[in-house]
Amino acid sequence: GQQLNQSPQSMFIQEGEDVSMNCTSSSIFNTWLWYKQDPGEGPVLLIALYKAGELTSNGRLTAQFGITRKDSFLNISASIPSDVGIYFCAGSNTDKLIFGTGTRLQVFP
Amino acid sequence: DSGVTQTPKHLITATGQRVTLRCSPRSGDLSVYWYQQSLDQGLQFLIHYYNGEERAKGNILERFSAQQFPDLHSELNLSSLELGDSALYFCASSVVTSSTEAFFGQGTRLTVV
């Protein structure tokens, strides 16, 4: 099945550090979303982006929708232990989501 | 708690068997989506129902089928199970037909032995 490319695959950082992760696609999407998945849980929506070039923040999270509509990044500032989890990007043109391969984040105190 | 309820949470069954996964969407949501999450394929869209009607199909195998009932709950039926069908199956729901505002359930972990 189709998947978006996310990088890095995993990150190990110290509490308080900033984090940046990217997502790229060979296809154009009208909407980009970022999700976080905790162990044993379903994905939870963090940020939704609807316009090319849009920069949106949600607390310590900031995400941008690329101008070409083929990429997006997510930044997390001043990481805390509860940021641990898997972060997924997802693109959408219609009524289905195409998910990225995921970035696993570990935060050490 | 997203408000989307999936049962059962865990399911272990043998190859060749048939199982039914159930999803109750959030109150008021008309759309239900099913996704499969496996280690090698990641999160993959299976199928979308809106108010009882099938709206879109993804990479869903012919051995799999789904339906949405008048009370808006949905069931995903998996038959002739193979080892490779072992995965997490998620249901998501939204008010309208756009999956961008969908909320995911906790998933059903299916293990085929």
Side-chain angles (χ1 to χ4, degrees):
Chain A
Q2 185 183 2
Q3 282 185 291
L4 306 180
N5 298 311
Q6 270 186 258
S7 63
Q9 192 173 2
S10 59
M11 303 182 75
F12 299 84
I13 62 169
Q14 198 156 19
E15 184 177 356
E17 289 184 0
D18 297 342
V19 170
S20 183
M21 56 191 79
N22 297 306
C23 188
T24 60
S25 168
S26 56
S27 306
I28 292 174
F29 288 104
N30 292 326
T31 305
W32 280 80
L33 305 107
W34 285 92
Y35 286 86
K36 179 176 181 248
Q37 186 176 21
D38 292 328
E41 302 289 331
V44 174
L45 181 64
L46 299 174
I47 290 180
L49 302 159
Y50 299 100
K51 297 179 183 177
E54 178 182 353
L55 183 71
T56 296
S57 294
N58 179 7
R60 294 179 296 106
L61 307 179
T62 302
Q64 184 156 28
F65 193 160
I67 291 291
T68 64
R69 293 184 171 270
K70 290 184 176 182
D71 63 313
S72 177
F73 72 75
L74 174 71
N75 289 339
I76 305 173
S77 63
S79 58
I80 59 178
S82 62
D83 290 334
V84 167
I86 304 177
Y87 291 79
F88 291 97
C89 62
S92 177
N93 284 328
T94 55
D95 54 352
K96 67 177 181 181
L97 298 173
I98 306 297
F99 280 90
T101 48
T103 293
R104 184 180 295 272
L105 178 64
Q106 288 278 12
V107 180
F108 296 101
Chain B
D1 183 4
S2 66
V4 178
T5 303
Q6 288 188 249
T7 57
K9 193 157 187 178
H10 301 276
L11 196 50
I12 300 176
T13 189
T15 54
Q17 294 298 306
R18 172 190 170 94
V19 296
T20 297
L21 312 183
R22 183 187 169 104
C23 170
S24 294
R26 293 187 316 156
S27 176
D29 284 0
L30 299 177
S31 272
V32 169
Y33 311 82
W34 286 96
Y35 287 84
Q36 179 193 57
Q37 185 175 34
S38 61
L39 283 175
D40 57 343
Q41 291 289 318
L43 270 158
Q44 296 289 324
F45 169 73
L46 295 178
I47 199 163
H48 170 210
Y49 276 84
Y50 177 76
N51 203 21
E53 292 189 6
E54 182 185 303
R55 289 296 298 260
K57 260 186 177 179
N59 299 319
I60 187 167
L61 300 172
E62 284 192 13
R63 300 182 286 109
F64 295 2
S65 65
Q67 56 186 128
Q68 186 179 27
F69 295 87
D71 67 352
L72 300 176
H73 91 271
S74 178
E75 293 180 355
L76 179 67
N77 300 298
L78 315 176
S79 62
S80 302
L81 285 168
E82 302 174 359
L83 295 177
D85 297 328
S86 297
L88 267 167
Y89 291 84
F90 287 105
C91 165
S93 75
S94 65
V95 173
V96 291
T97 59
S98 169
S99 60
T100 57
E101 304 292 337
F103 291 81
F104 282 78
Q106 290 189 309
T108 293
R109 181 174 291 281
L110 173 66
T111 303
V112 183
V113 297

